[in-house]
Each structure stands twice: as structure tokens, then as C-alpha cells.
Amino acid sequence: MSRSAHIQRTAAARGVPFSSSPVLDVKLPTWRSRLVLFLLFAAFLALMARALWLQGMSTEFLQKQGASRYARTLELPATRGKVTDRNGQVLASSVPVKAIWAIPDDVLEAPKEKLQKLAALLEMSESELRKKLDSDRQFVYLKRQVEPEVSDKVLALGIAGIETRKEYKRFYPEGEVMAHVVGFTNVEDIGQEGIELASEKNLAGKTGSRRVIKDRLGRIVEDIQAIREPHDGKDLTLSVDSKIQYIAFTHLKEALEKHQAKAGGAVVLDAKTGEVLALVNLPSYNPNDRSVLTGAQLRNRVMTDTFEPGSTMKPFTVALALETGRVTPDTVFQTAPGFMTIGTATIHDAHKQGALTVAQVIQKSSNIGTVKMALQMPPQEMWELFTTVGFGQQPKFGFPGAVAGRLRNYKTWRPIEQATMSYGHGVSVSLIQMARAYMIFARDGDMIPLTFQKSNETPAGHRVISEKTARQMRLMMEAVTEPGGTATKARIAGYRVAGKTGTAHKLEGGRYVNKYVGDFIGFAPVSNPRVIVAVMIDEPTTGGHYGGDVAAPVFAAITANVLRSMNVAPDSSITSIIPDNSVQESM
């Protein structure tokens, strides 16, 4: 028996209470035990106060902290609106695809062979995949816009931490033919070029959102509520006709190959409504595959590139002279000996012509005759007409990248500058500006706005020149395409056509170089103009460089097919065309 047990038995035998046992005798001061008891009680009170504070006063904060660990707000993408041509042909539509995303820490725990299969499905090397996964973020995209069949195979691998998200990819059925009209969107389905950019607000719609609860692997375990329903984008019907667009694209491409030109552009306008029926640029690109896209392919030259229009500017100078009563179509100007000097500069005609009527000045494209008319007029009158038809003005038809060109204020013009501007030098324009400006000749003297959206109403126009002047100009410009004119290659069997050729040296570094831009702008049928067609060939290197040689044939091919596709009645009995290459325009 132990000593303590013995003492207890002895104490009990003597009648000593157990609580008074010497074994229980405390050697420590009483105040210490009471202090410990007090501290325990105070800690208990502090915990109780903290619990009451958290549960009573900080409920909202704690709920937010908890929700941030399991609740998520998912974006519900809206379907982007379709883009169609005027006949309902789809030009741009959205197809459902998937985005593959991952929780890096979870995916890196997967077996090596599964990661290799994942990399192969995503068309990347294993090292590229691991580089994407080597991130401190809780969420990383592995690949966007993945086809549904591929995303299904990815999920079938059963890799923890791999999830998919619904999104949309834009598809362009017309490819490079319609590229510069429609444009394209980026990986976020936001418009970057063309109509996709210009009409982004209407096409995009508004995304929605909903609250869900997810587990640590990113899986949705409960749908809480819909915060905002998605609103799909609006469909857009363009004024462009895909058949006419293809016609213009095909003939422009043939011309560039024939003349080995650097680039080219063409635009077709409806003279009655102001609708843009076709807009073509070359080189072009495939908006469905932009992996090798270059700046030269991307440029919408019809809108953004400016050039000196050359002789296509002469009809405006002549029209002003007619409108102000200074000349009539039969007024004669002496252009011999084929050159004239203004100050220290000398202006030349391509050929010595002698005495020419105003009508012949247009038909033969005489610089001398045009300059003599221009110098009869105050610079302000010329400047006002040029600005009224849109030169030097920012186009206002809602298409991105359209430029204003260059037209200096008349107050700074010297006589030689007024002279050269009269035949298209010293001023820069875009092709679409020139096409619209020719409306005053095709529409009996008034102009209407251009539009890229289908229109069922004819907009109100504003008068620029009188109906009489416009009709006189039409007849003179028709003579340009007849034997003896500079654009006999623009003629069309069965239709009367009118227009004007232009050829200009290019400016590089502020100096003219031995490179050319050839253009032709015209309309048909002359008896009741329905379409305006403008063609520009940039730096032709074979088969000539004059507008009458390189651009007029393209105009003829496009216009003939367009008029027939629109079922426009013929207005000429001529059924065969005999080439006449005797006249070239002055530059």
C-alpha cells in the first residue's frame, strides 16, 4: 500500500473529513485560483460578445465573404445579330462554340498522358499548355472559340479543373468578296472593321447574367437567380447586293492580274436611292481566317486611300462654267499649240488639238481648254462647288475610316494652283467621294446621302446645279465614250453610257514619281441613269496606265452585268462595239 493511501485510511479512521485531507492541502495562494477563474470567465464573455457582434452586427459582411467563396455571377452571352444583303443572303452570322478554361492547380495534378492528349486536342505543344497553366490565377483560358466536337473530346478526358464556357464565333459565308464591307469581329465578338464596327451597338445586343453556386472544381451545384436576361442583337439588312458585289470583285480582280497592278477599288451606287450596291477592294482577305492578314489586305482603299483624281475632276469645272453662264457647250477655246505657261509653270495637253468647243474639251480631255475656263472664274466659286459635292469634307454615311481628302481653302490659291485643280491635280479625294459627287450629273443636278443599309424610301436631295446643266453634262460625258473620246472601251452594247477618264501621277515624299493611278467614273443608262460605277487601278505596270485603258474596260464589264442583273431596259440600238484607241486623256 502506498503512503498516501495509508494516510487517507488513517485520517478516515480518526473522523477527519475528506476535504480536509492533507493530500488535498493546496500550497498555492487562494488569489491565484480566483484570478484564473476570473480570466476564464472574462474570456468566455469576450467570446460571447464576439459571437453576438458577428452574428448580429456583421451578418451582411460575413454573408458576402461566404458567398465570394462559393457564389459566382455567370455572364450569359447575347447572340450577335445577323448581317444580310438586300435580298436576304446571309453575310455574317454567329455560330455557337466553346471556350476551354482551367483551374491551373487542379489541372497540373492530372496524369502526364492526359495532359499530352489535352494539348493535342487544343493544337498546342505540351510545353505551351504547361506555360499557360503555370499561373497564380485561379482561372485561365486555354483556348477560345473551340468547335463543339473538340470541346466534347476535351471534357471526355475527365481532367479535374477543365471546364467549358459557351460563346459565339462569327462566320462570313462570302469570304474575301465581301470582306471590306462586312468587316469582322475579334475573339470577344466585338466589331473591329466594316459594318461589324460601324453597327456594333445594334448588332451586339446586351449580355445577361445569373447567380450560381459552384464547388471547388468549378462545377455548378445550384442555380440561385437570373439577374438580367440577355437581349440578342438586331439583324441588319445592307444595301449591298451580293451578286453585284461578286460581279465587281471578279472583274476588278481580272484587271489587276492583267495589268499587274498594285491594288484597285470599285464602287457601285444606286443613282435613284443613294444605296451602295457594291464596294470592292483588292487585295482582299478572308475574314474567316485572319492568321496571315497584312495591312495591305486590310485597307479599305475605296474609303481610306486618297489620290489625285486627274481628269475626272474636269466635269465639275465645266459644269460650273456652264451654270454661271460663262460658256455654252458650243463655246470655242483655242488649245493650240498644246501648252500654256502660267507664271513659271507650263501646262500640257497629251495631243495638240487646236480649237475645241466646250463639249470637245470634255470629250478630248483637254487640260488647256479646262484651265482657260477655270481662269475665267473666281477661286471662291470653284471652291464652293468642290466642297458642296463633298471634296475635302468628311463623309457622313456611318462607315469607319472614311477620309475627307484634301482641298485647300480658296484664299490660298495661286493662279497656277487654281489651274491645276481644275483638272484634278493639287487636290486629293477617295473613290467613294468621286462616285457620290457624280450624282449631280446622274440625278439632274441634285445630291442625296449615301447609305449602306437597305432603303425603301428615296431621301430628299439638295440641288447643286440646274437640271439643264446636268443634262448638258450628260451628253458631253456620253461623247467621252464614243469614237473620238478618251473612253471608248467603256461602251456597252445595248446601253448608252457616260463618264470621264482620269490619270494622275502618284505623289511620294512630296514629289511626283513615275507611278500612276488610272480611274474611270460613269453612269448608265444615259437616258435615265440607274447606277453610278467608279473604278480605280493603282500602279498598273503592263497594258498601259491611262484610265481609258485600265479602268474604263472594268467599268464596262461591271456596268453591263449590273444593268442586266437589275433588269434595266436597254436604251441603245448598238449591239456590237468596235474598239477605238485613238485618244488618250491629258494628265
Side-chain angles (χ1 to χ4, degrees):
M1 181 182 296
S2 66
R3 178 176 176 78
S4 60
H6 177 72
I7 292 173
Q8 289 177 4
R9 283 176 175 261
T10 302
R14 294 177 178 178
V16 179
F18 177 77
S19 60
S20 302
S21 172
V23 178
L24 301 177
D25 188 21
V26 179
K27 306 296 183 183
L28 299 175
T30 305
W31 66 269
R32 291 188 64 175
S33 61
R34 291 176 178 174
L35 177 61
V36 171
L37 180 63
F38 174 77
L39 292 175
L40 290 173
F41 182 70
F44 176 75
L45 289 178
L47 290 173
M48 182 177 290
R50 178 63 174 166
L52 290 174
W53 171 263
L54 293 176
Q55 297 185 39
M57 305 298 293
S58 301
T59 302
E60 184 177 351
F61 171 77
L62 291 175
Q63 287 177 342
K64 287 182 179 179
Q65 291 298 306
S68 67
R69 288 160 173 79
Y70 61 79
R72 296 287 184 272
T73 299
L74 297 183
E75 182 182 277
L76 303 177
T79 304
R80 193 174 180 87
K82 295 196 300 285
V83 179
T84 64
D85 80 341
R86 65 185 302 106
N87 300 311
Q89 178 74 30
V90 175
L91 305 179
S93 62
S94 295
V95 295
V97 289
K98 294 292 183 69
I100 309 296
W101 61 272
I103 301 174
D105 291 342
D106 294 338
V107 177
L108 288 172
E109 296 176 1
K112 180 178 177 63
E113 57 272 15
K114 285 193 174 184
L115 290 180
Q116 290 175 338
K117 292 180 180 179
L118 175 62
L121 286 172
L122 299 181
E123 297 180 339
M124 63 178 67
S125 65
E126 186 179 353
S127 61
E128 290 176 319
L129 175 61
R130 290 188 179 276
K131 185 176 181 180
K132 285 180 176 287
L133 294 172
D134 186 16
S135 171
D136 295 331
R137 293 182 296 173
Q138 296 297 313
F139 171 97
V140 294
Y141 278 116
L142 298 182
K143 191 171 183 179
R144 306 287 300 274
Q145 297 190 344
V146 176
E147 297 297 329
E149 311 85 68
V150 176
S151 68
D152 291 341
K153 293 178 182 179
V154 168
L155 293 178
L157 294 176
I159 300 176
I162 293 291
E163 291 293 335
T164 63
R165 175 179 177 269
K166 184 180 179 181
E167 58 184 11
Y168 293 95
K169 179 180 181 181
R170 210 64 167 160
F171 176 62
Y172 304 97
E174 297 296 317
E176 62 178 356
V177 175
M178 202 69 71
H180 291 100
V181 174
V182 180
F184 58 85
T185 61
N186 62 10
V187 71
E188 299 292 345
D189 214 20
I190 299 173
Q192 301 296 294
E193 292 288 342
I195 290 296
E196 292 278 33
L197 174 59
S199 300
E200 168 65 22
K201 185 175 181 181
N202 290 329
L203 287 171
K206 294 183 179 180
T207 60
S209 60
R210 64 187 176 114
R211 294 281 287 177
V212 299
I213 294 177
K214 288 189 174 185
D215 63 15
R216 65 177 295 274
L217 298 179
R219 296 174 298 196
I220 297 176
V221 296
E222 184 179 350
D223 195 333
I224 302 176
Q225 69 179 71
I227 300 175
R228 184 177 64 251
E229 292 295 329
H231 295 282
D232 292 340
K234 298 179 181 178
D235 294 342
L236 182 63
T237 301
L238 300 185
S239 60
V240 175
D241 188 317
S242 58
K243 293 182 296 184
I244 295 176
Q245 180 80 6
Y246 180 77
I247 289 169
F249 181 89
T250 302
H251 291 297
L252 183 66
K253 186 176 181 180
E254 290 175 354
L256 262 61
E257 293 172 351
K258 176 181 178 181
H259 298 290
Q260 297 182 22
K262 175 184 177 181
V267 60
V268 181
L269 307 180
D270 189 319
K272 302 295 185 183
T273 64
E275 294 172 295
V276 179
L277 301 177
L279 185 153
V280 175
N281 292 276
L282 285 170
S284 187
Y285 63 94
N286 184 354
N288 297 304
D289 180 12
R290 303 188 298 275
S291 57
V292 292
L293 181 62
T294 65
Q297 293 173 300
L298 188 61
R299 279 166 58 184
N300 190 340
R301 299 170 190 273
V302 169
M303 294 282 187
T304 65
D305 283 18
T306 60
F307 58 96
E308 291 191 340
S311 296
T312 52
M313 184 68 82
K314 290 175 182 174
F316 300 100
T317 303
V318 174
L320 181 59
L322 290 171
E323 185 72 7
T324 56
R326 291 182 172 92
V327 299
T328 69
D330 297 322
T331 301
V332 177
F333 286 91
Q334 181 56 255
T335 65
F339 65 88
M340 66 182 294
T341 300
I342 301 175
T344 59
T346 301
I347 295 171
H348 294 270
D349 271 343
H351 305 282
K352 296 179 181 180
Q353 302 290 348
L356 296 175
T357 64
V358 169
Q360 290 172 324
V361 166
I362 288 291
Q363 183 186 34
K364 306 295 184 182
S365 194
S366 170
N367 289 344
I368 306 299
T370 306
V371 169
K372 287 188 174 183
M373 274 183 271
L375 294 180
Q376 292 181 5
M377 299 179 284
Q380 183 176 353
E381 289 187 8
M382 289 179 59
W383 180 83
E384 287 176 349
L385 176 64
F386 291 170
T387 55
T388 300
V389 297
F391 302 143
Q393 309 298 305
Q394 186 75 37
K396 297 179 180 179
F397 39 75
F399 204 93
V403 296
R406 180 175 179 270
L407 175 66
R408 292 187 296 106
N409 190 281
Y410 69 91
K411 295 178 181 179
T412 67
W413 291 7
R414 295 176 296 157
I416 184 59
E417 292 170 331
Q418 180 181 359
T420 57
M421 286 184 189
S422 72
Y423 59 84
H425 288 255
V427 57
S428 65
V429 298
S430 67
L431 189 64
I432 199 163
Q433 280 181 314
M434 289 300 298
R436 179 173 183 259
Y438 268 56
M439 275 188 177
I440 65 172
F441 308 125
R443 285 186 51 84
D444 289 339
D446 71 337
M447 294 186 72
I448 56 176
L450 292 188
T451 179
F452 279 86
Q453 297 189 28
K454 186 177 181 179
S455 174
N456 295 319
E457 298 180 359
T458 301
H462 66 277
R463 183 156 299 283
V464 179
I465 58 176
S466 66
E467 182 177 337
K468 176 183 177 182
T469 299
R471 291 185 175 182
Q472 288 175 332
M473 290 304 303
R474 278 208 294 271
L475 293 177
M476 287 189 277
M477 294 168 72
E478 182 180 12
V480 172
T481 68
E482 294 174 345
T486 60
T488 56
K489 295 179 181 179
R491 288 182 296 170
I492 302 172
Y495 295 96
R496 295 167 58 196
V497 300
K500 187 69 188 74
T501 54
T503 308
H505 284 281
K506 295 186 69 174
L507 274 169
E508 291 185 0
R511 301 183 62 182
Y512 288 105
V513 296
N514 196 31
K515 297 177 182 178
Y516 302 91
V517 173
D519 58 321
F520 184 88
I521 305 161
F523 45 88
V526 172
S527 58
N528 184 19
R530 181 61 191 277
V531 294
I532 301 169
V533 179
V535 178
M536 180 270 293
I537 306 295
D538 187 10
E539 295 187 23
T541 57
T542 62
H545 60 266
Y546 286 100
D549 292 325
V550 299
V554 184
F555 164 88
I558 293 174
T559 306
N561 283 281
V562 168
L563 292 175
R564 294 182 184 112
S565 71
M566 296 174 68
N567 295 318
V568 177
D571 66 341
S572 172
S573 59
I574 298 176
T575 57
S576 62
I577 303 297
I578 301 175
D580 180 357
N581 303 320
S582 60
V583 181
Q584 295 174 331
E585 76 269 17
S586 300
M587 292 188 292

